[in-house]
Amino acid sequence: MSKQITTLTFFKYPKLKDKIWAFWMMQFAHSALRRQSGLQSYKLLGSGKEGFSPWPDWSVYGLIQVWDSHKEAQEFFDSSSLYKKYLNHSEQQLTFYMKNIKAYGQWSKKNPFEQHSDVDTNNPYLTVITRATIKPHMLKKFWDYVPISQKGLKENPSLLFTAGVGERPFTHMATFSLWDDARALKKFAYRGNNHKQAIQQTQALQWYKEEMFSRFQPYLITGSWQGFTIPELLSFKET
């Protein structure tokens, strides 16, 4: 068991000059992140238009970070000069602090997530990150099927937040979602006809070169995002 935690931060850039800055930081933020104390691994992420889409949304970027513990993560958000630059250039920021429940598969040839030693059984909320590298010859078939697999997702009352992200458009994609009930997630994933068919297609066609599925318990959400209300249970500070 581990004290490792994961953070996922979204940044919104409304102005053209800040969008350009954010795009360049996909290359130039690496040196500072590699030197960050307590940071085990990270990924700089772009986002897709209208949720899970191959077409980039140049106004939204993400940063996923895996930390030794909450303490190191908080030091980054409180005092990092790099993070202050992100704050200065972005209009909105939203950070999810999460404890891993389980993860299987690989992301860049490894599993970065360790099961946390202290999960709160009274906290019903769940976040999910799914990530895949799509085989080049399966790209068209995969993206043609995405609208079917996502049908009914946005209308699900238990889905509180969702975003499509990725390291590279079209081929390196991931989804992030926040749910208020684990049972509702399971019902959508394994009992809903559309998503169930997508799972069957994935198994039959083998369209992923690499894939990872991970579940987390969110214990804190900070910042603000248009249209999203932070659940009261997740608005406290861990002691």
Side-chain angles (χ1 to χ4, degrees):
M1 294 293 185
S2 170
K3 291 293 184 182
Q4 180 200 79
I5 68 133
T6 299
T7 59
L8 175 57
T9 305
F10 292 96
F11 302 95
K12 179 76 171 180
Y13 303 91
K15 299 177 182 178
L16 177 59
K17 66 181 180 67
D18 294 318
K19 292 176 184 177
I20 294 172
W21 180 88
F23 177 78
W24 283 109
M25 290 305 286
M26 293 289 284
Q27 293 295 325
F28 296 126
H30 290 289
S31 59
L33 288 168
R34 288 169 183 151
R35 296 193 304 268
Q36 181 63 42
S37 175
L39 183 59
Q40 297 180 8
S41 62
Y42 68 90
K43 292 290 183 183
L44 293 158
L45 305 170
S47 72
K49 286 185 176 180
E50 299 179 0
F52 191 51
S53 165
W55 305 107
D57 180 350
W58 304 110
S59 68
V60 177
Y61 287 81
L63 173 61
I64 186 168
Q65 297 166 284
V66 181
W67 302 94
D68 290 340
S69 70
H70 179 91
K71 178 177 178 290
E72 284 80 8
Q74 202 59 58
E75 287 176 354
F76 171 81
F77 291 109
D78 288 343
S79 59
S80 165
S81 59
L82 175 64
Y83 185 66
K84 288 177 182 177
K85 290 178 183 177
Y86 274 96
L87 290 179
N88 291 335
H89 283 274
S90 58
E91 183 181 64
Q92 298 178 57
Q93 311 86 30
L94 187 65
T95 298
F96 296 82
Y97 293 71
M98 304 173 289
K99 301 174 181 178
N100 183 253
I101 298 172
K102 68 176 181 178
Y104 60 85
Q106 291 189 326
W107 191 334
S108 298
K109 299 182 179 181
K110 68 176 183 178
N111 182 346
F113 306 121
E114 300 171 359
Q115 186 176 357
H116 199 278
S117 59
D118 183 21
V119 175
D120 183 2
T121 57
N122 294 317
N123 180 349
Y125 293 92
L126 188 73
T127 52
V128 178
I129 298 175
T130 60
R131 187 269 178 189
T133 300
I134 307 160
K135 295 176 181 177
H137 68 281
M138 297 298 295
L139 284 171
K140 185 180 185 306
K141 189 179 292 289
F142 172 83
W143 286 112
D144 284 348
Y145 201 82
V146 163
I148 299 173
S149 68
Q150 301 291 297
K151 191 175 181 180
L153 178 63
K154 290 185 178 180
E155 294 77 20
N156 194 309
S158 289
L159 178 66
L160 305 182
F161 184 93
T162 185
V165 292
E167 303 118 280
R168 194 179 303 166
F170 293 97
T171 59
H172 293 62
M173 304 303 297
T175 61
F176 173 79
S177 55
L178 168 67
W179 298 77
D180 67 5
D181 185 358
R183 289 174 295 182
L185 168 62
K186 290 181 181 179
K187 184 177 180 180
F188 170 79
Y190 300 111
R191 297 179 192 173
N193 288 332
N194 295 314
H195 200 268
K196 188 176 180 179
Q197 288 176 15
I199 295 174
Q200 292 172 346
Q201 287 280 70
T202 299
Q203 295 171 342
L205 299 176
Q206 297 292 306
W207 47 33
Y208 298 145
K209 181 179 179 181
E210 181 182 63
E211 62 180 313
M212 164 158 276
F213 178 83
S214 48
R215 292 187 180 187
F216 303 82
Q217 181 178 82
Y219 64 89
L220 173 66
I221 305 175
T222 61
S224 63
W225 202 260
Q226 186 175 0
F228 174 64
T229 301
I230 298 175
E232 184 176 351
L233 180 62
L234 304 181
S235 61
F236 66 91
K237 276 251 185 184
E238 185 183 71
T239 57

